Amino acid sequence: MKTYASFALAFFFRPAGAALFGRLGDRVGRRPVLITVIVVMSAATTPIGVLPTCAAVGALAPWLLTLLHVVQGLSGGGELGGAVSMTTEFAPPGRRSLYGSCQSFTVALGLLGGAGVAAPPATVLSETQLGSWPGGCRSC
């Protein structure tokens, strides 16, 4: 349940990120804000792969993960809106709807691809096998 709460917290920060970065995009320009948001998302995503385990740092590990998810949520909220706005603004006349819809379509494709990669191991492996990956921790 705590794992789901960590992900849910990130989604609650998306509207705040959209408001913050959307306002910045209107004032500074969409391109620099979009580049900043992508860098922030990358800076929050990369450390997730090298976070210390619960065995190494105890209860600090899930707190660090949650903090990185919050940063991802903030930047994700700004990234989607900024990318769609910039894509439609620079699209040729008569093609704005198509260009704008491509952003949402590719997000859906990414989710589908992730589910496609996760489904086979989840159906073939037992719960014990799935929980035995090196970064896993049942005590946190």
Side-chain angles (χ1 to χ4, degrees), residues 122-139:
T123 56
V124 173
L125 301 175
S126 70
E127 187 174 333
T128 306
Q129 291 170 322
L130 282 173
S132 68
W133 61 282
C137 179
R138 299 256 186 231
S139 63

Side-chain angles (χ1 to χ4, degrees), residues 106-117:
T106 56
V107 169
L109 280 178
L111 292 171
L112 185 63
V117 168

Side-chain angles (χ1 to χ4, degrees), residues 63-140:
W63 284 106
L64 290 172
L65 181 62
T66 301
L67 176 67
L68 291 171
H69 281 162
V70 166
V71 174
Q72 283 181 322
L74 281 170
S75 61
E79 186 176 357
L80 182 63
V84 171
S85 297
M86 196 168 136
T87 303
T88 55
E89 286 173 358
F90 288 100
R95 308 288 284 174
R96 291 185 174 182
S97 297
L98 176 65
Y99 279 49
S101 67
C102 284
Q103 181 70 27
S104 297
F105 180 68
T106 56
V107 169
L109 280 178
L111 292 171
L112 185 63
V117 168
T123 56
V124 173
L125 301 175
S126 70
E127 187 174 333
T128 306
Q129 291 170 322
L130 282 173
S132 68
W133 61 282
C137 179
R138 299 256 186 231
S139 63
C140 292

